[in-house]
Amino acid sequence: MTAGALELPGFSQSAKYYICIYQCLTMPVVRSTKIREQNILALAQSLRADENLWAALLVALGALFLLLSFPFYPTLLVPFLAISVGVIAYKSPRFGTLIGILLAFPAIAYQSPVFAWVYVLIVAITLFEFLTSWSIISFLEIAILAPFAPPPFSILSGFVMLALAAAALYIGSKRSILIAVPAVLIVLLLSSLWVTENSAFMPLTPTTYAPKMDALQRNLKPEVSVFETVPSAAASVASLFSMEYITYVGPAFGKVWENLLSLLMRDCAFLQLVTYTAVLFLIGYIPGAIRGKRVQLISSLPLLLIPLNIYLISTLYPIPFDPSVAIYALLSIAALGTLEQFNITIGREPMLMKKEKAKSFGKFGLQDLGAGSAETLEDIGGYGDVKNELLESIVMPLRSKGIAYAYGIKPPKGVLLFGPPGCGKTMLMRALSKELSFGFYYVKCSDLLSEWYGQSEKNVSELFSIARKNAPCVLFFDEIDAIGKKRESYTADDVAPRLMSLFLAELDGFAAKKDIIVIGATNIPDALDPALMRPGRFDKIIYMPLPDREAREAVFRVHTKKIPISPDVDFGRLAEVSERYSGADIKNVCTEAARLAASEAAKKGVVIPVRMEHFTTVLESLRPSVSIAKLEDYEQFRLDFERRVGKEKKKVEEEVVRWSDVAGLEDVKTALLEAIEVPLLHEDLIKELKIRPSKGILLFGPPGCGKTMLVKAAANELNATFLTVSGASLMKKGYGESVSIIKETFNRGREQAPCIIFMDEMEDIASSREMVASSVLSQLLMELDGIKELKNVVLVGATNKPSMLDPAILRPGRFDKIIYIPPPDMESRKSIFSLNLSAVDAREIDFGEMAELTDGFTGADIASICQEAKMRVVRARIKKKESKITTAVLKDIAKRRKPSVTPSQLTEFALFMEEYGERK
């Protein structure tokens, strides 16, 4: 709600506050600019979400109608007593219900001691059931006694149908019979005993039950005064044991039994019982059977069967039809639909069904994520491809049985979600559980472990056994690494390897007709045992990365939709500056920004929207929770194991390097392209002519001449997998781990062929063994010459120190191609200037003159000159001055610089070429 929404001319300030409360109770989000009004709105919002308040209101209404139906307490005292019962019920609905029942006992004894003996049965049932069925007892109090309430409360009696419908929605279809049968039967029974019509439109033939029994009647005595309440209550209870009334107890129970049989055998009670039972069952059942909008309204439509049933009764029995019943039925339907329109839903059938099934897992205390979960898929920003894939692979086969049968589609046995912490894996599962109508159980792996030998394995077996009995269902193992770690990391005495073996056996042993899905989530996928990740166990392995730019913007919008936001907040800009932030990090940013605004609001006394400066202040102080090194590990695991079909092609945020971005070196491009393209993409020609494909290509030359850029361009032009290994980073791992990395890299290349493995700084990986023995070099030679064929995989190495390489790796069969990447020639230098200055007005630049002036400069040297020239333009524009890049400007910069390649380096490359030659 905006500030202007509270400016209501002609209304008092208190009236405005009541309007605020009403709007808060009926709308999801209400905003105001005044702190006092916000306090009231916050209070009203908390009351709306307070389940204890609604329980207290239900119990208080039940007590009110019970006390009104038997006059005893002073009229002004009855509401006070009902409110008192509600206050007690706020703390304990069970004891509030019991006290309301007991408060009515003196009133009933006062009006009719004999009837009080009948009421003793009700008290006994209440004592037996109030701990578990307090809500049903309160609903019954309203439904049974509202039809006999005195004016003006009798006006509400026609809405007994509404009360019964609300009760069925609240307690569910299975327990609706506990409302329908007692309510209809007791209302009709009381009408027959008192020989009076009820206001709940439950008809009967009064003449059938004449004459009435005076000892069972009510309203014979007036209410007592306040001062006489206590003594009159004591006297009334004591009168129960008077022989004058005890003699009527037997005949009274006989009369009750006689009327009950007449209702069922001779009157229309049976028809009404069947109708109300069916109607309330349908009302409770429909919310669990259908999905979409207006579910509560649709669920209430069976109420229309009640007027039809009463019309049928009027044609079979001498009972006139009252058209008012149809009006009240329509009003009841409209009331439930209106509540739904204002986001007040009563139906709990899906949650009750899930809770009922969860009881079978009582030993493990499993929670159903769908019971009480508030998140929906719309509350999760981004990850549209992940959400769609989960819906299509899990929800669709289970919900659309016809399509699944036609195409032979079955849900996957298992799904593994991995990714950095805080990216919403568990939250996504809670939202997904709302889409499913069956059990979605959260398994704490720690609860499966036991200190007793063999108990952990027994727990896993029992868990899956119970799951089969409750199929279809989903078992969600969060932090599955707790029981799924690599078995070699444990000793023989540890329970985890045995538990892991049993877990794998259970995954393999699912009966074909049992729809049981195991979903695992982990932040450390590298720790998982490889046996877990084969198809047939985890059929889908899905990476949930850090949100990209679009997803970050969506997450910012999701977490700020319920707080006041200033128009100057640029969510796109926030998404740009929050790279590497997880969803949890962004939520924390929004929370802290709101705290800054709240601090200002507390000082000024008005609601202050969260501004852009609040977000930027927070972003300057909060760092992402996921390190770059960890992201590399996740990416590596993704390349090895990710298994999915619905993945969106990730939008590359940085420009892809193409041949056009590499100036000059046309002969090198041709040689490199042929060496890579022919073995990778034209295998048929290679076999026809019996050509042995090149296994390796060595690029050497001065730094800054474009060796790495050449390889990236080749990989992009050929659309091949590009794996990179840096010598310096490899050496940091130590020799043992470095050998494993080399082996894994080549294995990964074989799996993802066609593939280019690019090893930069080859002198660190394959240095001469005359200087130092290297197991890394031995492993590299083994991969090139080994038993495993290097099919559709090409190794490309780059070095600035070719003389340091071991001669063994330079022979043909290993590095078949040795290509020199020299400093750019005249034409190449012109192209490099043109490429680097393509974004500026180059009409006043003589590229030929600049190319002559920069003889001996590398491509990196020329790019640095262009960069400095463009920075001069930036500085001038910041100072509001005009500036252009001209030949004079470039010459001024170039004259102050020297080539980064020295003559001695060029001599070293020349000597290497004399010794080994150049193989293109």
Side-chain angles (χ1 to χ4, degrees):
M1 186 173 66
T2 61
L6 289 176
E7 296 173 3
L8 303 169
F11 286 85
S12 65
Q13 190 63 32
S14 60
K16 293 179 182 179
Y17 288 166
Y18 284 119
I19 292 172
C20 288
I21 294 174
Y22 169 77
Q23 289 178 327
C24 187
L25 288 171
T26 57
M27 297 297 290
V29 179
V30 180
R31 294 190 185 128
S32 172
T33 58
K34 297 181 180 179
I35 293 296
R36 289 178 61 192
E37 293 167 357
Q38 284 292 322
N39 291 336
I40 295 174
L41 295 175
L43 175 61
Q45 186 71 11
S46 64
L47 293 178
R48 175 190 172 189
D50 191 347
E51 292 186 1
N52 290 343
L53 176 66
W54 296 106
L57 180 60
L58 174 64
V59 174
L61 284 174
L64 176 66
F65 283 110
L66 182 58
L67 296 177
L68 287 172
S69 299
F70 295 90
F72 171 70
Y73 298 102
T75 304
L76 296 178
L77 184 61
V78 170
F80 174 77
L81 291 175
I83 292 172
S84 300
V85 169
V87 171
I88 297 172
Y90 184 82
K91 293 294 183 182
S92 176
R94 298 169 177 82
F95 286 99
T97 302
L98 179 61
I99 290 172
I101 292 287
L102 294 176
L103 277 175
F105 190 74
I108 297 173
Y110 172 75
Q111 289 294 344
S112 175
V114 176
F115 193 86
W117 280 105
V118 180
Y119 187 72
V120 167
L121 290 177
I122 298 175
V123 174
I125 295 172
T126 301
L127 288 171
F128 188 74
E129 294 287 342
F130 81 102
L131 290 176
T132 57
S133 303
W134 64 267
S135 59
I136 294 178
I137 294 171
S138 296
F139 274 122
L140 285 175
E141 289 176 0
I142 298 171
I144 293 171
L145 296 169
F148 305 103
F153 299 98
S154 57
I155 298 175
L156 302 175
S157 301
F159 288 106
V160 167
M161 283 184 288
L162 175 61
L164 292 174
L169 287 169
Y170 185 78
I171 66 175
S173 59
K174 287 186 176 180
R175 302 179 74 194
S176 64
I177 191 173
L178 300 178
I179 291 285
V181 173
V184 175
L185 206 55
I186 296 176
V187 168
L188 291 174
L189 180 60
L190 291 177
S191 293
S192 69
L193 291 173
W194 295 335
V195 192
T196 182
E197 292 183 359
N198 60 77
S199 303
F201 303 105
M202 297 181 187
L204 77 168
T205 53
T207 56
T208 305
Y209 309 98
K212 63 183 179 181
M213 187 175 183
D214 293 337
L216 291 175
Q217 301 308 302
R218 61 178 186 135
N219 296 330
L220 302 178
K221 301 177 184 178
E223 63 186 38
V224 301
S225 65
V226 175
F227 301 104
E228 296 176 350
T229 301
V230 176
S232 296
S236 299
V237 174
S239 67
L240 291 175
F241 304 97
S242 171
M243 290 303 298
E244 178 185 355
Y245 297 110
I246 291 178
T247 56
Y248 288 102
V249 172
F253 276 102
K255 178 65 173 177
V256 170
W257 180 250
E258 179 187 346
N259 285 18
L260 190 59
L261 289 177
S262 297
L263 285 168
L264 295 173
M265 301 297 184
R266 300 166 56 192
D267 211 338
C268 56
F270 184 76
L271 285 175
Q272 296 185 65
L273 279 173
V274 172
T275 302
Y276 271 93
T277 300
V279 166
L280 295 189
F281 178 84
L282 288 173
I283 290 173
Y285 176 78
I286 290 174
I290 65 173
R291 308 183 65 85
K293 298 180 179 179
R294 316 300 294 173
V295 173
Q296 188 162 289
L297 177 64
I298 296 171
S299 301
S300 65
L301 293 179
L303 286 176
L304 295 174
L305 295 176
I306 294 176
L308 292 176
N309 175 66
I310 295 176
Y311 179 77
L312 174 63
I313 289 172
S314 69
T315 62
L316 299 176
Y317 296 88
I319 301 172
F321 175 71
D322 187 352
S324 301
V325 65
I327 297 174
Y328 273 102
L330 292 173
L331 290 175
S332 299
I333 294 171
L336 290 172
T338 303
L339 289 175
E340 185 179 30
Q341 183 68 26
F342 290 133
N343 299 315
I344 299 177
T345 55
I346 306 172
R348 301 193 307 157
E349 180 76 2
M351 181 181 69
L352 293 172
M353 291 170 58
K354 291 184 177 183
K355 283 187 175 180
E356 186 68 27
K357 287 187 176 181
K359 290 180 181 179
S360 57
F361 293 91
K363 174 181 177 180
F364 304 101
L366 299 192
Q367 298 177 357
D368 193 309
L369 286 180
S373 175
E375 292 94 347
T376 63
L377 291 176
E378 289 75 19
D379 295 327
I380 301 174
Y383 300 111
D385 57 333
V386 177
K387 290 186 281 190
N388 289 336
E389 182 151 5
L390 290 174
L391 288 173
E392 291 175 3
S393 61
I394 296 176
V395 179
M396 188 276 290
L398 296 174
R399 186 182 292 172
S400 304
K401 297 289 186 180
I403 294 178
Y405 177 79
Y407 290 93
I409 299 172
K410 293 183 179 180
K413 278 190 175 182
V415 178
L416 177 66
L417 297 176
F418 72 94
C423 287
K425 297 182 288 295
T426 305
M427 185 180 181
L428 178 61
M429 290 301 100
R430 286 199 297 267
L432 181 64
S433 67
K434 301 288 286 186
E435 301 292 325
L436 302 173
S437 58
F438 49 82
F440 199 110
Y441 304 109
Y442 180 87
V443 182
K444 293 181 181 178
C445 295
S446 58
D447 290 345
L448 299 176
L449 302 177
S450 174
E451 60 182 345
W452 304 107
Y453 190 86
Q455 186 61 45
S456 299
E457 296 92 319
K458 183 180 179 182
N459 288 341
V460 171
S461 295
E462 287 187 17
L463 176 67
F464 281 99
S465 176
I466 297 171
R468 291 187 187 97
K469 294 177 182 177
N470 288 274
C473 67
V474 176
L475 296 178
F476 173 50
F477 293 82
D478 201 4
E479 307 298 342
I480 196 173
D481 46 271
I483 61 171
K485 286 185 179 178
K486 295 176 182 176
R487 284 168 285 188
E488 60 266 22
S489 61
Y490 295 96
T491 64
D493 295 331
D494 285 326
V495 67
R498 302 195 305 272
L499 196 63
M500 176 67 178
S501 299
L502 182 60
F503 185 74
L504 295 176
E506 292 290 351
L507 287 176
D508 294 337
F510 284 163
K513 295 183 179 180
K514 298 292 185 180
D515 291 325
I516 302 174
I517 304 170
V518 172
I519 299 180
T522 181
N523 300 325
I524 46 175
D526 290 331
L528 295 177
D529 194 288
L532 262 178
M533 289 173 283
R534 74 161 175 80
R537 288 167 180 165
F538 282 128
D539 297 310
K540 287 186 176 292
I541 299 178
I542 300 175
Y543 180 37
M544 285 193 66
L546 292 176
D548 57 17
R549 184 192 177 284
E550 292 182 1
R552 290 195 299 273
E553 182 175 348
V555 174
F556 269 111
R557 293 185 182 278
V558 164
H559 289 301
T560 56
K561 64 182 180 181
K562 292 186 178 180
I563 60 176
I565 295 294
S566 174
D568 75 326
V569 174
D570 185 348
F571 289 106
R573 178 59 182 162
L574 288 176
E576 290 177 359
V577 299
S578 58
E579 187 175 358
R580 203 158 49 84
Y581 280 65
S582 67
D585 293 333
I586 294 174
K587 180 180 179 181
N588 191 32
V589 169
C590 295
T591 301
E592 294 299 326
R595 284 200 180 105
L596 291 178
S599 179
E600 290 185 30
K603 295 176 182 177
K604 297 181 179 179
V606 294
V607 174
I608 295 177
V610 182
R611 301 187 300 275
M612 189 68 179
E613 63 183 273
H614 294 135
F615 285 104
T616 55
T617 300
V618 172
L619 286 168
E620 288 173 359
S621 58
L622 295 182
R623 301 271 72 82
S625 59
V626 183
S627 65
I628 295 176
K630 193 63 180 174
L631 289 178
E632 292 176 354
D633 294 338
Y634 288 126
E635 186 63 25
Q636 203 69 57
F637 187 87
R638 183 191 69 78
L639 291 173
D640 289 343
F641 293 105
E642 187 175 37
R643 190 160 49 240
R644 54 183 300 197
V645 295
K647 183 178 180 182
E648 291 180 350
K649 291 184 178 180
K650 188 176 180 181
K651 295 180 180 179
V652 181
E653 296 184 0
E654 57 184 61
E655 296 181 2
V656 175
V657 180
R658 297 292 182 186
W659 283 134
S660 57
D661 299 319
V662 182
L665 302 175
E666 296 302 328
D667 57 336
V668 180
K669 288 181 188 177
T670 302
L672 186 62
L673 193 60
E674 287 180 355
I676 295 174
E677 184 179 41
V678 171
L680 292 184
L681 304 181
H682 300 285
E683 186 179 0
D684 53 340
L685 295 177
I686 294 292
K687 287 182 178 180
E688 181 183 345
L689 300 175
K690 296 183 179 180
I691 299 174
R692 183 174 55 83
S694 298
K695 293 182 179 179
I697 300 170
L698 177 66
L699 305 179
F700 72 96
C705 290
K707 297 183 290 296
T708 304
M709 182 176 285
L710 268 172
V711 179
K712 284 184 178 180
N716 291 327
E717 292 290 345
L718 296 172
N719 197 25
T721 304
F722 185 74
L723 302 179
T724 180
V725 178
S726 170
S729 61
L730 195 64
M731 291 299 103
K732 290 179 183 179
K733 302 288 186 180
Y735 279 108
E737 190 171 350
S738 297
V739 170
S740 299
I741 292 175
I742 292 291
K743 183 177 181 180
E744 289 176 5
T745 302
F746 276 89
N747 286 337
R748 193 173 295 115
R750 293 184 182 94
E751 291 174 355
Q752 302 181 41
C755 176
I756 297 173
I757 299 175
F758 177 56
M759 291 189 177
D760 205 0
E761 304 171 72
M762 278 296 299
E763 66 273 10
D764 290 332
I765 301 173
S767 56
S768 175
R769 283 174 286 190
E770 294 179 359
M771 296 183 287
V772 60
S774 173
S775 56
V776 176
L777 174 60
S778 300
Q779 182 65 40
L780 181 59
L781 296 176
M782 187 183 301
E783 293 294 340
L784 291 172
D785 298 338
I787 298 175
K788 292 183 180 179
E789 182 183 1
L790 205 62
K791 184 178 180 181
N792 289 343
V793 179
V794 174
L795 171 65
V796 178
T799 181
N800 302 323
K801 297 287 184 180
S803 59
M804 295 177 63
L805 296 177
D806 192 277
I809 203 170
L810 296 174
R811 73 165 175 81
R814 288 166 180 167
F815 277 136
D816 298 286
K817 302 285 186 181
I818 300 178
I819 302 175
Y820 177 50
I821 309 298
D825 57 16
M826 177 73 174
E827 290 300 318
S828 297
R829 292 196 297 276
K830 288 174 62 177
S831 298
I832 294 171
F833 270 110
S834 177
L835 282 171
N836 281 277
L837 296 174
S838 59
V840 300
D841 185 359
R843 288 176 294 182
E844 299 183 22
I845 301 174
D846 187 342
F847 292 121
E849 184 178 353
M850 290 307 305
E852 291 178 0
L853 183 64
T854 53
D855 185 23
F857 282 62
T858 66
D861 296 333
I862 296 173
S864 178
I865 293 171
C866 297
Q867 185 76 4
E868 175 60 27
K870 288 185 283 188
M871 282 304 300
R872 289 188 180 185
V873 174
V874 171
R875 296 188 195 103
R877 291 186 179 178
I878 291 174
K879 296 178 180 179
K880 308 298 183 183
K881 297 180 180 179
E882 286 294 327
S883 178
K884 292 184 179 180
I885 298 178
T886 62
T887 304
V889 171
L890 293 173
K891 289 171 66 176
D892 178 63
I893 298 172
K895 288 178 181 178
R896 301 180 184 182
R897 303 197 176 194
K898 299 293 182 183
S900 59
V901 180
T902 63
S904 60
Q905 288 177 312
L906 295 175
T907 302
E908 180 182 351
F909 296 130
L911 292 174
F912 180 81
M913 291 181 65
E914 285 182 8
E915 184 174 357
Y916 290 97
E918 186 178 14
R919 299 194 289 266
K920 291 187 178 180

